Amino acid sequence: MFTVISRKTPARDISQIEVFAPRIASALLPGQYVNVKPTTGSRYVSLPVMKVNHQAGTIGLLVQAVDEATSLMVYNPEIFIFEDMTGPHGRPSLLTECNDSELVKAKFLFIAGGLGVASALMQIEWLNKIGGSADVLLVAPSKSLLLFRDQFEKICRNVFLATDDGSVGFHGSVTQLLGLLPRDQVKGYDLITTFGPLKMMKQVADFALNHGIPATAGFVELLSVSGLSGFRLDVGSESLDAATQGPEFDARQVDFQHAISRSSISVTSGKDAEDAVKVRDISGKSLGEPLSKQA
């Protein structure tokens, strides 16, 4: 069992939850996630980690109420002990395989919306601790749903904002805003990493492909809000499990259109769980190694 230390409500139907989990906190790397079972009868929920406090042995989670299990975590303050939590799960971010000196010199752009801001915050704070920096583009339907803007402004070199209704920042899509940035600035990014809704990540993937910029996309939010904990991705000639062999993949290879068409379908049977979300094979367009790995 895992004790809930605190709960905050940064936006409607969304909770920021701090949990005492020293073993998991000591092992977590950027890009990984945890599975939480709030009560005995509920399902496990895959959640992005937004913060780790090694000294206190706590991890910060972001959860959105979309079904019974997630609603228990968001709306029921009497649940101060989670039945179970497992992790860390998934492969760490590509960034963790790179030399610190290379990370300090490289230019990164993170694009995040929805629960994806948690993963972006975790990775950017990790970069800061080793002397690196990043720009971030935050996307939301409105100002009230633009999460953790103040925190990003403290740790990022540049913070760009885009809202669907124009209540703050740029009024328009993520690609429209990217198109307004200086061309040299955009082409200067060594890696674009995106987290959030599938439609937004598709826009980022298409933009990166068209401009020849390496890009990765994280799918923890899809695992969390849809319960698709067993779906597979066809990456090139391979079929990969998003939960165990991801959750980040080469954004330019994902067939987002097919993923979007299936995103409203819950995986409730073994047959459904075996269905794959297709990924297009882009010959000669693999992510490759934009940064050198540690020996």
Side-chain angles (χ1 to χ4, degrees), residues 81 125 127 145 152 181 196 198 238 247 249 260:
I81 294 180
E125 287 192 338
L127 275 173
L145 294 174
F152 281 108
L181 297 179
L198 287 173
E238 296 181 283
F249 298 94
I260 291 168

Side-chain angles (χ1 to χ4, degrees), residues 140-146 163-168:
S142 64
K143 181 179 180 179
S144 63
L145 294 174
L146 198 63
T163 51
D164 295 343
D165 65 359
S167 53
V168 67

Side-chain angles (χ1 to χ4, degrees), residues 111 123 191-198 200-202 204-205 214-220 233 242 246-254 256 287:
I111 301 176
Q123 294 199 18
L191 179 68
I192 296 177
T193 300
T194 183
F195 308 100
L198 287 173
M200 183 206 76
M201 293 201 297
K202 180 183 184 302
V204 175
T216 59
F219 292 86
V220 176
L233 298 168
E248 291 183 31
F249 298 94
D250 184 343
R252 302 175 303 176
Q253 293 193 42
V254 178
F256 281 101
L287 178 61

Side-chain angles (χ1 to χ4, degrees), residues 183-260:
R183 181 176 177 83
D184 291 345
Q185 179 179 349
V186 173
K187 296 291 288 186
Y189 289 120
D190 296 288
L191 179 68
I192 296 177
T193 300
T194 183
F195 308 100
L198 287 173
K199 291 182 179 179
M200 183 206 76
M201 293 201 297
K202 180 183 184 302
Q203 292 179 341
V204 175
D206 291 342
F207 181 89
L209 179 62
N210 292 334
H211 290 77
I213 305 172
T216 59
F219 292 86
V220 176
E221 180 174 13
L222 180 62
L223 297 176
S224 176
V225 302
S226 64
L228 295 175
S229 58
F231 79 88
R232 302 184 68 83
L233 298 168
D234 291 341
V235 182
S237 60
E238 296 181 283
S239 177
L240 304 179
D241 186 289
T244 61
Q245 295 171 288
E248 291 183 31
F249 298 94
D250 184 343
R252 302 175 303 176
Q253 293 193 42
V254 178
D255 185 347
F256 281 101
Q257 196 58 50
H258 189 204
I260 291 168

Side-chain angles (χ1 to χ4, degrees), residues 24-33 49 52 88 91-93 96 122 126:
I24 296 177
S26 65
L28 263 166
L29 290 173
Q32 295 180 303
Y33 63 95
V49 178
V52 176
R91 293 173 59 87
S93 165
T96 63
M122 173 79 172
W126 181 83

Side-chain angles (χ1 to χ4, degrees), residues 259-271:
I260 291 168
S261 69
R262 294 189 63 248
S263 62
S264 62
I265 303 174
S266 297
V267 176
T268 56
S269 68
K271 179 179 182 300

Side-chain angles (χ1 to χ4, degrees), residues 76-95:
N76 194 337
E78 296 181 1
I79 298 178
F80 56 89
I81 294 180
F82 289 150
E83 176 68 20
D84 193 20
M85 179 186 299
T86 62
H89 293 292
R91 293 173 59 87
S93 165
L94 169 69
L95 302 180

Side-chain angles (χ1 to χ4, degrees), residues 38-111:
T39 62
T40 302
S42 61
R43 72 174 178 95
Y44 279 94
V45 182
S46 300
L47 294 176
V49 178
M50 62 179 295
K51 192 175 185 64
V52 176
N53 187 326
H54 294 101
Q55 184 175 0
T58 62
I59 60 175
L61 307 174
L62 197 63
V63 56
Q64 181 177 9
V66 295
D67 62 6
E68 183 177 358
T70 52
S71 293
L72 286 171
M73 285 185 272
V74 173
Y75 301 132
N76 194 337
E78 296 181 1
I79 298 178
F80 56 89
I81 294 180
F82 289 150
E83 176 68 20
D84 193 20
M85 179 186 299
T86 62
H89 293 292
R91 293 173 59 87
S93 165
L94 169 69
L95 302 180
T96 63
E97 302 178 8
C98 302
N99 294 310
D100 289 358
S101 60
E102 292 290 327
L103 293 173
V104 171
K105 297 176 183 177
K107 294 182 180 180
F108 300 101
L109 173 63
F110 288 82
I111 301 176

